[in-house]
C-alpha cells in the first residue's frame, strides 16, 4: 500500500487516516529566496499580522512615528539653514542678528534632540509591538491542533529550527523593520521637498543629475544584494543549529557526563560552529561588495551636490550678488542638494537592512506557510470527519436527516470520527473468537499473524449479538425506544436539559443490566451505560511515510471498566498505537473512532517520556490544566489537548474566526462549581456508583467476573444468535457484516459521546488539597511537598532534572488521580518503579474508577488488567483475556 504523497490526496496527520503530510520543498535549499516577487508576496501576507487593526498599537505607533518624522524633517531643514544664517549675519557684522540667530539655533537644536530621541523610542516601541503580535500569530498557529508536533515529525517539510524562527528571526525582522521604517516613511516626502528646493536653487540640472545617479546606483546595488539573501537565510539556520546543539547538551548534561562524552560532544558542537562560521563568512564575503558600492555611492553623492551647485555659479547666474550673500546661497544650495542626495543615498544605505529583512521574512514566512498548511490539513480532515460523522449518524437515533448533531457546530463537544478507505477485497467475516491466555501462550510468533478473516474483538460479546434485524443500540445497551429518542434529543443542539434525564437513563439502564433477563446478555462492562472509549475497526497502522505495517487489521473496542494491557517486543508499535489513539499519527486503513476533545477529565495520557512543566508542584499535578490565577483563588484553564490550544481564552472566538480553529479553550472556576452541588452531586454519585472497582484483593476475580464475559457465556450467546438466524439472513449478515460492525460501533460511540457530554465532565469537582496530600503520601512523595516548599510555591526547578525517574513517574501518576479520567493511557508509566509502588498506583487508579490502558513489558502488570493485546511488530496481534490470571 502506497502512502499518497501529494497534498490533494491526503488527509491529516493524526486526524485522519489514509493520510500523508503536506508536501513542501526543503526550505533552506530553496533557491527562490531573494529580493523578488515572492518576497513582496510574503511581505504582503505578513502585513495584516504586523498591522492587525486600525486601532491596534502597531498602527497607532506607526502613525505617531510618521508625524514625528515629518516634524523632524521640518526642524532638520531649519537646522540645516543655520550655517547659511550665520554666514549672512557674520558677513554683515550684524550683532542683533547674530544674537537672534544664536537663540533661534539653540531652540532648534534642543527641539531636534528631543524629536530624534522620541523617534528612536517610538521605533523601539513599534519593534516590540510588532514582535509581540507576530509571535502571537505564530504561536496561535504553532499550538493549533498538533502543529507543534507535526512540524517536527514531518520530514518533507524540512523546516529547520522552528523555535529559532519564532524567536531570533522574528526579532531580526521586527527590529530591522523598526529601524528602517522611519527612513522609509519619510523618504517620499523628503525626496519630493528637496527635489523642489534643489530645482529652485539649481534649475532642473541639479535634481536630474542626482536622480539619474540614484537610479544607476540602485540598479548596481540590486544585483549585488540579491545573492546575499540566501546566505542570510543559511546563516540563520546555522545559528539555530548551534543553539539547538547547546540546548541538547544542556538538557542531556547528566547523560553526557555519565558517558564522559564531552569530547565527542565538543567535536559535534564545534562542527556546528564551523558550519555557522562558514555560513557567516560566505555572507560577509558578499556583504563586502555591497558595502563597497554603498560607500562609493554615498561619497559620490556628496560630490555630486557640489557639481550641481557649480553649474549656476559658473554660468553666471549669481554674478550680481555680493560675496557674503553668495556664500549664504552656496551654503543653502549645497544643503538642499546634499539633503536630496542623502535622502536618496539613505535609501541605498538600507540595502544592508533590506537583505536582513528579506532573509528573516523568508524564514518566518516559510514557518507561517508550513503551519498554515498543517492547520488547514488538520481542519479539512476534521471537516471531512465531521461530514462523515453527520452522514453516518443521519437516520439513526431518531435524528432527522436535516438536523445534524451538535458535532458539526462544535467538534470539541462531541468528538471525532475518523474514517479511512476500505482496504478493498471481500469483507472479512467476523467470528467472535476469544483466545484464552493458555492458548495464546502456546502460540508461536508466527501464529500471532492474524488472518484477514479472523478478527478478534475485545468486546466480542457485543459483536456476537449482531443480527441484521436487531436494533443494535437498543439491543446492546438495553435501551427502550424512549431512551433512544432521549439520546437523539440530547444529540441535537440546545438539548442541554436532557443531561439530567440521561443520568436517569443511566440509572434505568443500570437497573436493566443488573436485573432480570438482561443479565444473560449484559455487556462486558457493567458499571456504566456509556462505556465506549475507542473503536478500532480493521485498523492498519504504519510509521508515517512508510508502508511497513506495525499493526494490521486490528479490531478493538476499548471500553470503560475494562483495563487493557498492550505488550510486545521493543519497537513493535505499542507507543505508535497510542499515538494513533491520541490522533498524533494517521492510520492507513480502517476506522478509528473516539472522543477526542474532553481533555484530561475524560482521557489522560502519560507518555513514555514524562513531561514536567515549569512552575509549582500543584501545576505538575493538574497538568495539562493550567492554573491561571493566584493560588488563593485558583482558576483552571482546561485546554483541549487534542484540538486547538489557544493561549488566551479571551481570544478563542476571534481565533475561531480568523484561523478557523473550532475548538475552544474553556476557563472555569472550580469555586463556582463547588457552589453548584446540585449539578455536582448526581454526576459524582453516578460516577462513583457505576464505575467498577478493580480491587487487587482476593475477591478481585469475583469482581471481574461481573465485568467480563466468560467463554461459556460467549458460546451461549453465539448459539442463541445462530438459533435466531434464518438462511436468508445468513447471506445478508455476511454481506453486511462490515457495515453493521461500523454501524454498531458508531452508534455506541455516539451514545457514549452524548452521555459523556450530558454527564458534565468539566463540572466534576477537583480533589481537595487534603486529598492530594493523602495521595502524595500514599505514593511516597510526601517529602516532595516539603522539599519544594508546598503545593503552590515555585521552587524554580527544572523538575525533570531534579527528580529521579521514579519520582517523575509517581508525580505524573498524580495527574491520573487528580483528574480521575474515564481512561488513563499509561505508556510504561511505572517502568522505573518497584512492583509494590506500581501496585499502589494501580490500586489507587482502580479506586478512582479510572480505566487504564497500559503499555509495558513487565509481567507484573498483568494482574491489574482484564485483557492483553500483544503485538508482534510485523502487523500481527493477538488479544487474550486475563480474567483467569
Ligand atoms: N517519529 C518517528 N519517525 C519515524 N519512525 C518512528 C517514529 N517514532 C517511532 N518510529 C518507529 O516506529 C516503530 C515503533 O515505535 P514505537 O515507539 O511504537 O515502539 P514501541 O513498541 O513502543 O517500543 P518500546 O517498547 O521500545 O517503547 C519503531 O521502529 C520506531 O523506530
Amino acid at each position: 500500500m502506497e502512502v499518497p504523497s501529494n497534498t490533494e490526496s491526503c488527509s491529516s496527520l493524526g486526524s485522519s487516516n489514509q493520510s500523508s503530510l503536506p508536501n513542501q520543498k526543503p526550505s533552506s535549499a530553496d533557491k527562490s529566496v531573494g529580493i523578488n516577487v515572492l518576497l513582496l508576496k510574503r511581505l504582503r501576507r505578513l502585513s495584516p499580522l504586523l498591522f492587525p487593526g486600525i486601532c491596534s498599537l502597531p498602527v497607532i505607533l506607526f502613525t505617531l512615528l510618521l508625524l514625528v518624522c515629518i516634524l523632524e524633517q521640518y526642524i532638520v531643514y531649519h537646522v540645516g539653514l543655520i550655517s547659511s544664517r550665520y554666514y549672512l549675519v557674520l558677513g554683515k557684522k550684524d550683532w542683533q542678528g547674530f544674537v537672534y540667530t544664536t537663540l533661534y539655533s539653540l531652540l532648534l537644536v534642543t527641539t531636534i534632540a528631543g524629536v530624534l530621541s522620541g523617534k528612536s523610542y517610538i521605533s523601539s516601541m513599534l519593534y516590540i509591538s510588532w514582535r509581540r503580535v507576530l509571535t502571537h500569530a505564530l504561536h496561535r498557529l504553532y499550538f493549533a491542533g498538533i502543529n507543534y508536533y507535526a512540524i517536527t515529525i514531518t520530514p518533507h517539510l524540512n523546516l529547520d529550527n522552528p523555535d529559532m524562527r519564532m524567536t531570533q528571526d522574528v526579532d531580526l525582522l521586527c527590529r530591522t523593520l523598526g529601524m528602517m521604517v522611519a527612513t522609509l516613511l519619510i523618504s517620499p516626502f523628503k525626496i519630493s521637498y528637496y527635489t523642489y528646493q534643489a530645482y529652485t536653487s539649481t534649475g532642473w540640472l541639479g535634481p536630474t543629475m542626482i536622480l539619474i545617479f540614484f537610479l544607476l546606483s540602485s540598479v548596481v546595488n540590486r544585483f549585488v544584494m540579491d545573492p546575499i539573501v540566501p546566505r542570510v537565510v543559511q546563516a540563520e539556520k546555522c545559528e539555530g543549529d548551534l543553539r539547538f546543539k547547546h540546548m541538547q547538551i544542556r538538557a542531556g548534561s547528566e547523560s553526557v557526563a555519565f558517558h564522559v562524552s564531552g569530547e565527542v560532544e565538543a567535536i559535534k558542537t564545534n562542527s556546528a560552529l564551523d558550519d555557522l562560521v562558514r555560513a557567516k563568512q560566505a555572507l560577509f564575503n558578499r556583504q563586502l561588495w555591497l558595502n563597497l558600492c554603498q560607500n562609493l555611492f554615498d561619497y559620490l553623492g556628496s560630490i555630486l551636490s557640489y557639481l550641481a551647485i557649480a553649474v549656476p555659479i559658473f554660468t553666471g547666474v549669481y554674478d550680481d550678488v555680493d560675496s557674503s550673500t553668495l556664500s549664504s546661497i552656496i551654503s543653502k544650495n549645497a544643503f538642499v542638494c546634499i539633503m536630496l542626495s542623502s535622502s536618496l543615498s539613505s535609501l541605498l544605505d538600507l540595502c544592508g537592512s533590506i537583505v536582513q529583512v528579506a532573509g528573516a521574512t523568508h524564514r518566518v514566512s516559510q514557518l507561517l506557510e508550513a503551519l498554515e498548511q498543517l492547520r488547514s490539513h488538520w481542519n479539512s480532515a476534521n471537516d471531512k470527519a465531521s461530514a462523515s460523522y453527520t452522514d453516518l449518524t443521519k437516520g439513526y437515533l431518531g435524528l432527522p436527516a436535516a438536523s445534524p448533531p451538535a458535532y458539526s457546530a462544535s467538534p470539541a463537544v462531541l468528538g471525532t470520527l475518523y474514517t479511512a478507505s476500505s482496504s478493498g477485497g471481500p469483507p472479512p467475516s467476523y467470528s467472535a473468537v476469544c483466545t484464552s491466555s493458555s492458548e495464546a501462550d502456546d502460540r508461536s510468533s508466527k501464529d500471532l499473524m492474524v488472518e484477514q478473516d479472523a478478527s478478534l474483538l475485545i468486546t466480542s460479546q457485543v459483536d456476537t449479538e449482531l443480527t441484521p434485524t436487531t436494533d443494535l443500540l437498543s439491543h446492546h445497551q438495553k435501551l427502550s425506544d424512549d431512551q433512544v429518542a432521549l439520546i437523539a434529543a440530547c444529540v441535537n443542539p440546545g438539548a442541554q436539559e436532557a443531561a439530567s434525564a440521561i443520568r436517569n437513563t443511566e440509572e434505568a439502564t443500570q437497573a436493566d443490566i443488573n436485573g432480570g433477563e438482561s443479565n444473560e446478555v449484559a455487556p462486558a462492562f457493567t458499571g456504566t451505560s456509556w462505556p465506549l472509549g475507542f473503536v478500532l475497526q480493521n485498523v492498519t497502522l504504519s510509521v508515517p511515510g512508510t508502508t511497513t505495517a506495525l499493526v494490521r487489521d486490528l479490531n478493538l473496542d476499548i471500553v470503560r471498566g475494562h483495563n487493557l494491557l498492550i505488550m510486545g517486543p521493543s519497537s513493535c508499535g505499542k507507543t505508535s498505537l497510542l499515538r494513533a489513539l491520541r490522533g498524533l499519527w494517521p492510520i492507513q486503513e480502517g476506522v478509528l473512532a473516539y472522543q477526542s476533545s474532553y481533555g484530561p477529565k475524560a482521557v489522560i495520557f502519560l507518555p513514555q517520556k514524562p513531561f514536567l512543566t515549569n512552575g509549582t508542584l500543584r501545576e505538575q499535578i493538574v497538568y495539562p490544566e493550567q492554573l491561571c490565577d493566584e493560588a488563593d483563588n485558583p482558576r483552571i484553564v482546561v485546554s483541549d489537548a487534542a484540538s486547538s490550544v489557544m493561549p488566551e481564552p479571551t481570544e478563542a472566538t476571534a481565533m475561531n474566526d480568523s484561523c478557523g480553529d473550532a475548538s475552544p479553550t474553556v476557563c472555569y472556576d472550580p469555586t463556582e462549581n463547588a457552589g453548584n452541588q446540585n449539578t455536582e452531586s448526581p454526576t459524582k454519585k453516578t460516577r462513583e456508583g457505576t464505575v467498577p472497582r478493580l480491587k487487587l484483593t482476593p475477591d478481585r476475580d469475583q469482581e471481574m467476573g461481573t465485568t467480563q464475559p466468560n467463554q461459556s457465556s460467549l458460546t451461549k450467546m453465539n448459539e442463541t444468535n445462530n438459533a435466531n438466524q434464518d438462511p436468508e439472513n445468513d447471506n445478508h449478515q455476511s454481506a453486511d457484516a462490515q457495515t453493521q460492525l461500523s454501524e454498531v460501533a458508531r452508534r455506541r460511540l455516539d451514545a457514549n459521546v452524548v452521555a459523556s457530554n450530558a454527564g458534565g465532565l468539566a463540572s466534576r469537582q477537583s480533589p481537595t488539597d487534603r486529598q492530594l496530600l493523602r495521595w502524595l503520601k500514599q505514593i511516597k512523595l510526601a517529602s516532595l511537598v516539603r522539599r519544594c516548599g508546598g503545593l503552590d510555591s515555585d521552587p524554580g526547578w527544572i523538575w525533570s532534572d531534579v527528580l529521579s525517574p521514579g519520582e517523575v513517574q509517581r508525580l505524573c501518576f498524580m495527574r491520573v488521580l487528580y483528574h480521575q479520567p474515564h481512561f488513563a493511557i499509561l505508556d510504561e508509566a511505572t517502568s522505573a518503579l518497584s512492583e509494590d509502588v506500581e501496585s499502589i498506583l494501580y490500586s489507587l487508579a482502580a479506586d478512582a474508577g479510572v480505566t487504564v490502558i497500559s503499555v509495558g513489558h513487565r509481567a507484573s502488570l498483568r494482574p491489574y488488567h482484564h485483557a492483553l493485546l500483544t503485538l508482534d511488530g510485523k502487523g500481527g496481534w493477538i488479544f487474550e483475556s486475563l480474567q483467569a490470571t
Side-chain angles (χ1 to χ4, degrees), residues 73 76-77 186-214 297-298 301-302 304-305 308 332-348:
Q73 289 311 311
V76 162
Y77 174 72
I186 205 62
S187 286
F189 302 101
K190 217 171 143 183
I191 291 168
S192 312
Y193 181 74
Y194 287 112
T195 302
Y196 171 74
Q197 289 289 340
Y199 171 74
T200 55
S201 301
T202 64
W204 57 268
L205 190 65
T208 309
M209 277 172 66
I210 292 169
L211 287 174
I212 289 174
F213 175 75
F214 172 72
F297 286 123
D298 272 359
S302 60
L304 199 68
S305 60
K332 184 185 169 189
N333 287 354
F335 168 69
V336 293
C337 286
I338 285 172
M339 285 304 284
L340 175 58
S341 132
S342 82
S343 309
L344 294 168
S345 57
S346 65
L347 283 181
L348 291 179

Side-chain angles (χ1 to χ4, degrees), residues 131 145 172 194 204 249 391 435 510 617 630 705 716 742 762:
R131 185 166 176 189
L172 181 66
Y194 287 112
W204 57 268
I249 292 167
D391 280 351
T435 313
Q510 183 61 34
L617 180 58
E630 268 72 36
K716 187 176 175 187
S742 301

Side-chain angles (χ1 to χ4, degrees), residues 338-372:
I338 285 172
M339 285 304 284
L340 175 58
S341 132
S342 82
S343 309
L344 294 168
S345 57
S346 65
L347 283 181
L348 291 179
D349 289 344
L350 289 181
C351 290
S353 303
I354 287 171
V355 289
Q356 298 282 341
V357 167
T361 301
H362 282 301
R363 279 179 63 81
V364 171
S365 298
Q366 283 164 350
L367 174 66
L368 200 69
E369 287 155 16
L371 291 172
E372 278 174 349

Side-chain angles (χ1 to χ4, degrees), residues 434-441 711 878-881:
C434 192
T435 313
S436 72
S437 54
S438 57
E439 283 169 346
D441 290 341
Q711 189 63 50
I878 192 166
F879 169 78
E880 57 188 299
S881 169

Side-chain angles (χ1 to χ4, degrees), residues 30 55 74 154 161 170 185 231 311 494 556 665 679:
D30 198 345
C55 295
Y74 177 79
T154 312
N161 302 300
V170 167
L185 275 179
R231 283 164 179 82
V311 174
L556 186 70
T665 299
T679 315

